[in-house]
Amino acid sequence: MPTQKALVLAEEFGQFVVVDNWPMPPTPGPGQVLIKVKATALNPVDWKMRQSGLLVQEYPIVSGWDFSGDVEVVGEGVEGLGKGDRVVALGFPPTGFSGFQQYTLMPADLVCKIPDSLDYAEAASIPLGYASAAIGLLAASPTGAGIDPTCALDGVSFAGQPAFVFGGSSSVGQFAIQMLRTLSFSPIITYASSKHTEFLKSLGATHVIARSAVRSADVPAAVRKLAGGAPFKIAYDAISEGGTVVAILAPVKDRGDVDGKKLIYIVASPHIHREFGVRMVKLLAKQLEEGVIQPNRIEKLSGGLAGIVDGLARMENNAVSGVKLVVFPQETA
Ligand SMILES: NC(=O)c1ccc[n+]([C@@H]2O[C@H](COP(=O)([O-])OP(=O)(O)OC[C@H]3O[C@@H](n4cnc5c(N)ncnc54)[C@H](OP(=O)(O)O)[C@@H]3O)[C@@H](O)[C@H]2O)c1
């Protein structure tokens, strides 16, 4: 049986370990592609899977949600992708579509081509953060805020309407700011470390409330003041414990109402929200081509897949600020 190198979590609460005898994925089935993984980005969900078993149904498991690489083999019926295409994708490790290995399968309709302007590492920083923003803001309620489930964004504009992002320097926060900018929300207010102010303004934030200057409990008052009392349609919380929350601050009767405000808890997976996910991937390809969505700033880790272990420990200890950690599986010793 052909094998490859992979970073494997063998048991619940175990350790991630590099192995060189992980099975190669099978030949792609209809509608699938085999990708040679050139870069994979680290996410909080990776260390949460190890720490708490989050989303894991069966061990051993290979994590890695964000990855980019080259199409190696194309399955039956796949259109628009061919061997050698540079692509990026959001995987789903519980079903084996994972980046912490050297090769992975993916459903072809959830794979996005990378424009020449981006390298593999930059591209790998995008999918999960982008999906969190796109699903949270665009997908139909109760999956998302329902701004544009078609993803066409034709004539959609919220000019003059304020929006807020809690935790703008996080990976998810950066994409939420950018998506709100493409929807013409204004002002776009965010709460983040002041060292990221200029960068977040380059992504579309109009005001950055410094974490060092305002306690989180006082953020609502500071945000209202900056918006001059105008009502908020969207407040996007990219940090909240246990997941990402989008709140539509309008009194509606729906699942998740709190104090007359609609709360949406995101599951940022195009595999789960498949029809929307296929449209979202097309929108991503368009927005990357047009340059209206920028990747996260990245920090490249050495050691191939082995470099993931220390990277995840840094993330777990809140020692990563405003960058995405990226490794290169083909460099694994
Ligand atoms: N539900 C879903 O489907 C879904 C999808 C994706 C992510 N998530 C979750 O969303 C959260 C964010 O993910 P991520 O990948 O964006 O994380 P990340 O980029 O690793 O987050 C690190 C950033 O968070 C900022 N931060 C931490 N605590 C903060 C606070 N109290 N106030 C403001 N900023 C704070 C830090 O800002 P500074 O250092 O600049 O201060 C740092 O830049 C994680 O909990 C993740 O598990 C959920």
Side-chain angles (χ1 to χ4, degrees):
M1 181 178 59
T3 59
Q4 58 164 333
K5 290 171 183 162
L7 187 77
V8 177
L9 183 61
E11 59 189 2
E12 193 175 21
F13 313 130
Q15 301 297 327
F16 285 114
V17 176
V18 176
V19 303
D20 61 8
N21 60 352
W22 191 249
M24 275 289 286
T27 304
Q32 291 185 328
V33 290
L34 178 70
I35 296 171
K36 181 176 185 177
V37 182
K38 294 287 190 72
T40 185
L42 281 57
N43 284 287
V45 63
D46 297 311
W47 64 257
K48 291 177 185 178
M49 282 171 69
R50 192 192 71 78
Q51 184 209 54
S52 67
L54 177 71
L55 300 172
V56 186
Q57 282 113 37
E58 209 181 329
Y59 296 88
I61 188 164
V62 172
S63 192
W65 298 71
D66 283 333
F67 49 84
S68 61
D70 295 336
V71 173
E72 280 286 306
V73 184
V74 174
E76 190 188 322
V78 171
E79 292 177 1
L81 287 173
K83 182 171 165 56
D85 281 348
R86 300 167 71 243
V87 294
V88 62
L90 173 50
F92 195 62
T95 54
F97 306 137
S98 316
F100 291 176
Q101 56 187 341
Q102 293 181 309
Y103 293 85
T104 186
L105 291 177
M106 263 299 287
D109 57 2
L110 296 181
V111 166
C112 177
K113 283 191 188 167
I114 304 173
D116 293 343
S117 56
L118 297 182
D119 65 24
Y120 292 110
E122 291 170 322
S125 77
I126 296 170
L128 184 55
Y130 179 87
S132 302
I135 290 173
L137 294 170
L138 305 181
S141 176
T143 301
I147 284 179
D148 186 359
T150 70
C151 291
L153 303 190
D154 283 340
V156 181
S157 172
F158 294 88
Q161 298 193 43
F164 172 62
V165 177
F166 189 97
S169 69
S170 68
S171 178
V172 171
Q174 292 175 36
F175 289 106
I177 289 170
Q178 295 185 79
M179 190 61 82
L180 290 164
R181 176 177 63 181
T182 69
L183 298 166
S184 304
F185 279 95
S186 178
I188 298 172
I189 301 166
T190 191
Y191 181 59
S193 289
S194 55
K195 66 184 173 190
H196 299 307
T197 297
E198 288 315 309
F199 174 62
L200 296 180
K201 286 189 171 175
S202 78
L203 297 181
T206 54
H207 304 76
V208 179
I209 299 172
R211 285 181 70 185
S212 55
V214 179
R215 293 178 315 147
S216 55
D218 297 329
V219 167
V223 171
R224 277 190 216 104
K225 193 171 166 195
L226 281 172
F232 277 74
K233 182 170 177 65
I234 296 286
Y236 192 112
D237 182 356
I239 301 298
S240 52
E241 294 279 306
T244 304
V245 179
V246 176
I248 303 180
L249 304 182
V252 286
K253 287 200 181 349
D254 201 340
R255 198 179 71 176
D257 274 16
V258 176
D259 296 336
K261 301 174 181 63
K262 185 174 178 182
L263 280 179
I264 296 166
Y265 298 85
I266 298 169
V267 180
S269 174
H271 299 261
I272 291 173
H273 308 299
R274 187 61 183 263
E275 286 183 23
F276 178 85
V278 171
R279 296 194 293 274
M280 181 193 80
V281 167
K282 291 194 173 111
L283 175 63
L284 172 61
K286 180 169 174 283
Q287 291 187 316
L288 291 181
E289 200 62 55
E290 291 170 349
V292 298
I293 292 290
Q294 299 299 323
N296 293 157
R297 292 175 299 184
I298 55 167
E299 179 184 331
K300 298 179 180 180
L301 303 182
S302 58
L305 293 166
I308 292 171
V309 177
D310 281 352
L312 292 181
R314 284 171 56 197
M315 294 175 73
E316 195 170 347
N317 291 322
N318 289 319
V320 178
S321 175
V323 292
K324 197 86 170 172
L325 304 182
V326 178
V327 306
F328 304 93
Q330 306 301 324
E331 292 178 0
T332 311

